[in-house]
Amino acid sequence: MAKKSAKGSETIRKKTVIRNGKEYTYWEARITTGRDPGTRKQIQRSFTGKTQKEVREKMQAAAVEVNQGTYTAPQRMTVGQWLDIWQRDYLGAIKLSTADGYIRSVRNHLKPALGAIRLDQLRPHDVQGFVNGLEGLTPSTVRYHHQVLHTALEKAVELDYIPRNPAARCELPRVEQEEVHPLNDEQAAALLAAAKDTNVEHLLAVALFTGLRMSELLGLTWDTIDFTTGVIRVNKQLARAAYRTPDR
């Protein structure tokens, strides 16, 4: 049953219920967070707690967000469910190979570690714990998985599922820049000599003297080479095909 609230706290009620023959008392507060766009009826959110002070603080915090336009209704969706929606519906505009990498990251790392947490309850320390737990991976790989998560959560923010991105302020491992040591003349000559009369001879020669990436080298066709002027036009790449199974 409901009891009259304290004076000056009309939106807060003290309630008592009986469950399995046992009496429980708690406090409840209600606040209007907006209107249903279809019915125009008020949308209300209730807060419960053991003390009047606890529910008042919850209500006041929500009221501030409503007034600032940053309030987001709580979602029952888990991080794993959101990641499934994100990879299914929001990766269509990126390269297939990039999307394939995102999907592997979600399947092998993000969902096992964070998938069971409710999306609206994911906190920065949860994300930091995930990052810290990626032991044995290189700093650049750790940063990659964090970036995938950050991108997915940023879309959730954009769609108003969560008010802010909990992956935004993580401490990430530092990536040390490795010094590049190009082959000297003697080493380049030795490499070409070793490759002579093999099926990679010409591939290595073009790589040595142009600096093209592997995907660009494999994408070269005869029509991109002008033997008169000695010019190669790089206008396509050959990448590994990405195959997706129905469960992905």
Side-chain angles (χ1 to χ4, degrees), residues 51 55 57 71 103 123 126 132 136 150 163 172 211 216 237 245:
T51 66
V55 296
E57 290 175 348
Y71 177 78
I103 291 170
R123 298 292 180 262
D126 296 318
N132 295 345
H150 185 282
L172 301 175
E216 294 169 336
Q237 299 182 38
T245 55

Side-chain angles (χ1 to χ4, degrees), residues 14 52 91 93 116 205 238:
K14 189 176 183 180
Q52 186 180 21
L91 299 184
L238 181 64

Side-chain angles (χ1 to χ4, degrees), residues 69 71-73 75 155-163:
Y71 177 78
T72 302
Q75 303 288 330
K155 176 57 70 171
V157 172
E158 182 182 331
L159 297 175
D160 293 329
Y161 287 127
I162 51 178

Side-chain angles (χ1 to χ4, degrees), residues 3-212:
K3 294 184 179 180
K4 187 178 180 180
S5 61
K7 186 177 180 180
S9 303
E10 291 81 9
T11 56
I12 302 177
R13 299 186 300 170
K14 189 176 183 180
K15 303 184 72 173
T16 300
V17 297
I18 297 176
R19 295 175 183 168
N20 299 324
K22 194 172 181 178
E23 187 177 274
Y24 296 90
T25 299
Y26 63 97
W27 289 84
E28 180 187 57
R30 298 180 70 84
I31 182 175
T32 299
T33 59
R35 290 185 178 275
D36 185 283
T39 64
R40 302 305 300 166
K41 292 182 178 180
Q42 290 184 343
I43 300 173
Q44 291 193 323
R45 165 93 189 278
S46 63
F47 306 87
T48 59
K50 294 181 180 180
T51 66
Q52 186 180 21
K53 178 182 178 182
E54 179 184 352
V55 296
R56 182 184 291 112
E57 290 175 348
K58 291 179 180 178
M59 181 184 65
Q60 291 174 341
V64 170
E65 291 182 352
V66 170
N67 291 333
Q68 293 177 342
T70 59
Y71 177 78
T72 302
Q75 303 288 330
R76 295 292 178 181
M77 185 189 310
T78 65
V79 174
Q81 290 171 328
W82 166 245
L83 289 172
D84 287 340
I85 293 171
W86 175 69
Q87 66 182 352
R88 185 190 67 222
D89 299 336
Y90 294 99
L91 299 184
I94 63 177
K95 292 181 180 179
L96 186 60
S97 58
T98 302
D100 190 60
Y102 285 1
I103 291 170
R104 288 198 303 271
S105 177
V106 167
R107 181 182 66 240
N108 298 331
H109 297 280
L110 305 188
K111 286 182 66 174
L114 302 170
I117 302 175
R118 262 181 48 178
L119 180 61
D120 65 312
Q121 295 180 353
L122 183 67
R123 298 292 180 262
H125 67 263
D126 296 318
V127 179
Q128 189 66 59
F130 162 71
V131 169
N132 295 345
L134 293 174
E135 299 176 354
L137 301 181
T138 64
S140 60
T141 302
V142 172
R143 283 176 168 267
Y144 172 78
H145 293 307
H146 170 266
Q147 182 59 43
V148 174
L149 177 63
H150 185 282
T151 302
L153 294 176
E154 197 63 28
K155 176 57 70 171
V157 172
E158 182 182 331
L159 297 175
D160 293 329
Y161 287 127
I162 51 178
R164 58 190 61 86
N165 193 330
R169 292 182 175 87
C170 279
E171 296 293 332
L172 301 175
R174 182 178 177 181
V175 177
E176 299 290 343
Q177 296 293 334
E178 296 184 3
E179 186 177 354
V180 177
H181 298 282
L183 300 180
N184 57 36
D185 292 344
E186 292 76 14
Q187 291 170 327
L191 178 61
L192 291 175
K196 188 173 178 57
D197 297 328
T198 69
N199 57 1
V200 295
E201 176 184 3
H202 301 300
L203 189 69
L204 284 175
V206 175
L208 279 172
F209 295 109
T210 63
L212 294 180

